[in-house]
Amino acid sequence: MNETTPRLVAAKALSLLDLTDLSDNCDPAAIETLCRQANTAFGPTAAICIWPRFVSQARALLGPDSRIRIATVVNFPSGDLPVDTVVAETEQAIADGADEIDLVIPYKALVAGDEAAVRAMIGAVRAVCKPPVVLKTILETGELKDRDLIRNASHLAISSGADFIKTSTGKVAVNATLEAADIMLNAIRESGRNVGFKAAGGVRTVADASLYLNLAATIHGPDWAIPSTFRFGASGLLGDIIAVLEGRESGSPSAAY
């Protein structure tokens, strides 16, 4: 990153943030709050990321021309729903107004050696995510664990048509890590394709965000991380971003995701 001061990092992170509420007790009131929070005094977040059942509500709240994109999750969080079910889930989400689909790959099948299951799932969902709908694939790197498996999953997702590769659901014990990010960002470079990266789960402070942005800059160059190539998936990061931008103390406790 060229930007090194906490305030500049915070402003950058805000523009890359998928403000997330995938809590089990999320309700319409929480979605109203999320949509309001995404429009900050310092500018909008890149997106909100929510359960499919709330997409139509969020679209009505944000309006058709909002700069804030609506992302939703499919095959989430287990990664083991039938392809037809996931395709139907995706089609409904897009009809309801989703701009971005965050798809959990069948990572358990991949661990068992079934690469074809991953290709089939991503290919089927890609087929119904017509441009400008963005397809992010969640690898669940904390469950893949092995470096070679994370790299293989990254290349499988990229070659199957993913627009982004994303670390995690935020629903397992180990979510985004710098080690996984390094493997994934290098896989994008190796592929030669214009694919983005999303760190999700565990990025809670501007200092955390800075580590990921610096890693991306090292691998892809200082100007690579923009909303079309880089996102943070987080619920608690926004509070720290706002604290830094307002000149208050950073690093206070925040949400787990």
Side-chain angles (χ1 to χ4, degrees):
M1 270 182 74
N2 290 329
E3 303 97 336
T4 54
T5 71
R7 192 181 290 263
L8 287 170
V9 173
K12 178 83 164 180
L14 176 63
S15 74
L16 304 174
L17 179 61
D18 288 2
L19 182 62
T20 300
D21 190 341
L22 295 169
S23 59
D24 294 335
N25 61 351
C26 186
D27 60 16
I31 296 300
E32 285 190 30
T33 299
L34 196 75
C35 290
R36 186 171 63 251
Q37 290 174 332
N39 270 305
T40 83
F42 301 96
T45 64
I48 57 170
C49 187
I50 57 178
W51 293 105
R53 63 184 178 273
F54 298 118
V55 169
S56 59
Q57 179 196 359
R59 176 51 67 208
L61 287 167
L62 292 174
D65 302 317
S66 175
R67 290 171 58 193
I68 301 166
R69 297 173 68 83
I70 298 174
T72 194
V73 291
V74 298
N75 203 24
F76 188 94
S78 68
D80 53 16
L81 294 175
V83 171
D84 289 350
T85 300
V86 180
V87 167
E89 197 176 28
T90 303
E91 289 176 325
Q92 185 61 58
I94 294 169
D96 287 344
D99 301 298
E100 303 179 355
I101 300 295
D102 288 27
L103 162 71
V104 183
I105 69 167
Y107 62 89
K108 296 167 196 168
L110 181 60
V111 171
D114 189 356
E115 293 184 2
V118 178
R119 292 191 185 278
M121 178 66 77
I122 298 173
V125 175
R126 171 79 274 173
V128 296
C129 289
K130 308 294 187 187
V133 176
V134 169
L135 175 60
K136 308 192 199 90
T137 49
I138 304 172
L139 308 185
E140 202 66 294
T141 53
E143 295 295 294
L144 296 179
K145 300 173 183 174
D146 181 77
R147 289 184 62 89
D148 289 339
L149 200 52
I150 294 170
R151 182 176 180 273
N152 189 32
S154 299
H155 281 292
L156 281 170
I158 292 167
S159 64
S160 299
D163 296 309
F164 272 75
I165 50 175
K166 173 179 171 180
T167 59
S168 322
T169 60
K171 299 289 189 179
V172 294
V174 176
N175 293 291
T177 66
L178 287 168
E179 180 183 26
D182 180 70
I183 298 164
M184 294 167 69
L185 286 162
N186 274 295
I188 292 169
R189 183 180 55 78
E190 291 160 4
S191 76
R193 300 194 184 190
N194 185 28
V195 173
F197 167 79
K198 179 174 173 179
V203 183
R204 301 184 181 95
T205 66
V206 170
D208 292 339
S210 181
L211 295 174
Y212 285 92
L213 289 170
N214 286 334
L215 179 62
T218 299
I219 295 168
H220 288 281
D223 301 319
W224 183 76
I226 58 176
S228 61
T229 57
F230 193 106
R231 300 286 181 87
F232 292 110
S235 58
L237 178 58
L238 181 62
D240 201 59
I241 288 171
I242 298 301
V244 170
L245 291 174
E246 290 181 343
R248 294 184 285 113
E249 185 176 354
S250 171
S252 57
S254 58
Y257 186 88

